């Protein structure tokens, strides 16, 4: 009779502890991001007829039926909250509820500000793209604080969770369907504006969440381990870690040198590796956050 391995369950209080950490900072980031997204919608995206998410549905219905965008967003967000409870759970939904209810309120509050901004003869494409950058920055602040604005942000999180992709890429996938539906209403030119805007929003969202990479992580397999370590330690003045590896096909054991190099030293590090061993195999990835190890 075989005994089953008992896996220790994760502490259910971890999520609560995470959300309690830096509570004031998190809420400040959330409200600031909410304001930026709502402001970008009213001043730039709604006049430009840029379509994405529940806000995009609001833009469409505002065009066809002159419905108040804030009301449409509120109704759509509340309906999607039910989906969040089922797929993401009550804990995740608890942080979605506040955004779902407050975002349409912020849209209504910032609506009068649109008439105070004179965009003059600014090109429509510039207006749309600037609005996308501003919206993406605000969304990044909201997501990084552990909240969402509700609406299709719920779908974005579901896709991100179950299909293992970033929030930004999930946004392109889900919002793409709504954008396609807008073509008969706004035409192909506005479709192009919307596609460009969604792309910029996704990029800005990921950049705010992950940050701009300040370092590169190198993973190096070489027959000249000693020379390679000396180059990194003495010339580049950075530490190294030796990992134990094994070839997937041959099964041969081999050393893997791992090191974190500032982005400014990337070129020197790469060329140095090639000079020491032109047959070296190395992998370089962005390191968005480096902590500990002192």
């Amino acid at each position: 009779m075989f005994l089953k391995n008992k896996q220790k369950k994760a502490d259910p209080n971890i999520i609560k502890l995470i959300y309690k950490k830096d509570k004031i900072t998190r809420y400040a980031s959330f409200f600031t991001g909410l304001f930026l997204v709502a402001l970008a919608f009213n001043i730039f995206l709604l006049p430009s007829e840029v379509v994405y998410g529940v806000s995009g549905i609001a833009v469409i219905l505002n065009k066809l039926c002159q419905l108040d965008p804030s009301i449409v967003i509120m109704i759509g967000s509340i309906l999607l909250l039910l989906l969040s409870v089922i797929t993401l759970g009550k804990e995740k939904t608890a942080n979605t509820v506040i955004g779902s209810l407050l975002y349409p309120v912020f849209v209504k509050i910032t609506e009068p500000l649109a008439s105070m901004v004179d965009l003059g003869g600014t090109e429509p494409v510039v207006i749309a793209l600037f609005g996308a950058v501003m919206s993406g920055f605000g969304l990044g602040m909201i997501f990084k604080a552990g909240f969402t604005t509700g609406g299709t942000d719920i779908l974005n999180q579901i896709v991100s969770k179950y299909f293992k992709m970033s929030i930004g890429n999930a946004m392109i996938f889900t919002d793409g369907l709504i954008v396609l539906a807008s073509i008969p209403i706004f035409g192909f030119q506005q479709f192009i504006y919307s596609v460009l805007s969604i792309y910029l929003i996704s990029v800005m969202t990921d950049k705010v969440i992950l940050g701009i990479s300040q370092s590169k992580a190198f993973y190096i397999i070489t027959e000249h381990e000693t020379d390679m370590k000396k180059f990194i330690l003495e010339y580049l003045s950075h530490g190294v870690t030796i990992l134990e590896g094994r070839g997937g096909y041959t099964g041969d054991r081999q050393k893997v040198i791992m090191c974190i190099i500032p982005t400014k030293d990337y070129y020197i590090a790469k060329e140095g590796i090639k000079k020491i061993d032109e047959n070296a195999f190395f992998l370089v990835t962005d390191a968005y956050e480096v902590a500990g190890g002192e």
Side-chain angles (χ1 to χ4, degrees):
M1 184 175 181
F2 295 98
L3 294 176
K4 295 183 178 179
N5 293 328
K6 292 184 178 180
Q7 294 184 344
K8 188 178 179 180
K9 292 184 177 180
D11 186 348
N13 293 318
I14 289 178
I15 298 297
K16 292 181 180 179
L17 292 173
I18 291 173
Y19 283 132
K20 284 182 179 179
K21 183 181 178 182
D22 300 326
K23 205 167 186 178
I24 296 176
T25 302
R26 286 180 54 242
Y27 274 95
S29 179
F30 168 62
F31 284 114
T32 301
L34 209 58
F35 177 78
L36 290 176
V37 175
L39 194 64
F41 173 76
N42 279 311
I43 296 179
F44 303 107
L45 302 182
L46 180 60
S48 301
E49 297 177 337
V50 170
V51 174
Y52 76 94
V54 172
S55 297
I57 297 175
V59 172
I60 293 173
L61 293 180
N62 179 260
K63 175 74 172 182
L64 296 177
C65 313
Q66 286 74 52
L67 292 179
D68 189 328
S70 61
I71 294 177
V72 175
I73 294 171
M74 176 69 82
I75 294 173
S77 296
I78 290 175
L79 292 176
L80 284 169
L81 279 173
L82 299 175
L83 183 61
S84 179
V85 174
I86 297 171
T87 58
L88 300 178
K90 293 182 179 179
E91 289 288 339
K92 202 77 171 181
T93 304
N95 289 280
T96 305
V97 171
I98 186 172
S100 298
L101 298 178
L102 285 181
Y103 175 57
V105 173
F106 270 70
V107 169
K108 192 65 179 177
I109 292 173
T110 57
E111 185 179 327
L113 297 178
S115 60
M116 301 179 186
V117 178
D118 182 14
L119 298 174
T122 308
E123 291 290 334
V125 65
V126 175
I127 295 173
L129 296 183
F130 186 85
V133 171
M134 184 175 175
S135 183
F137 190 86
L139 285 172
M141 293 182 68
I142 293 169
F143 292 144
K144 193 171 184 178
F147 297 92
T148 81
T149 56
T152 53
D153 291 340
I154 293 171
L155 292 179
N156 295 336
Q157 290 197 63
I158 293 171
V159 173
S160 177
K161 176 181 178 180
Y162 290 100
F163 293 91
K164 309 301 180 185
M165 63 175 68
S166 71
I167 292 286
N169 288 332
M171 190 181 299
I172 293 175
F173 177 78
T174 56
D175 292 340
L177 298 177
I178 297 175
V179 174
L180 287 174
S182 72
I183 295 178
I185 301 168
F186 297 117
F188 196 72
Q189 180 173 307
Q190 298 306 120
F191 165 76
I192 295 175
Y193 290 174
S194 295
V195 170
L196 290 175
S197 297
I198 290 175
Y199 175 74
L200 276 179
I201 290 171
S202 70
V203 170
M204 283 301 300
T205 299
D206 282 349
K207 287 299 179 185
V208 174
I209 293 174
L210 297 174
I212 298 174
S213 173
Q214 300 290 334
S215 305
K216 303 293 182 185
F218 279 77
Y219 297 86
I220 311 162
I221 298 175
T222 176
E223 294 181 356
H224 303 276
E225 179 187 339
T226 302
D227 292 338
M228 198 70 73
K229 287 192 297 183
K230 185 180 293 186
F231 168 69
I232 298 170
L233 290 168
E234 296 181 5
Y235 186 80
L236 297 178
S237 300
H238 294 294
V240 299
T241 299
I242 307 300
L243 307 176
E244 294 289 342
R246 187 174 65 175
Y249 179 72
T250 64
D252 295 338
R253 294 188 177 279
Q254 50 199 356
K255 303 288 186 180
V256 180
I257 300 174
M258 186 200 75
C259 61
I260 306 298
I261 305 293
T263 300
K264 64 182 178 62
D265 293 334
Y266 165 73
Y267 177 77
I268 295 174
K270 182 187 70 170
E271 294 302 316
I273 291 170
K274 291 180 179 179
K275 288 292 183 182
I276 295 171
D277 182 4
E278 61 181 13
N279 295 316
F281 172 85
F282 64 95
L283 169 69
V284 184
T285 64
D286 285 319
Y288 289 100
E289 184 171 350
V290 180
E294 294 184 358

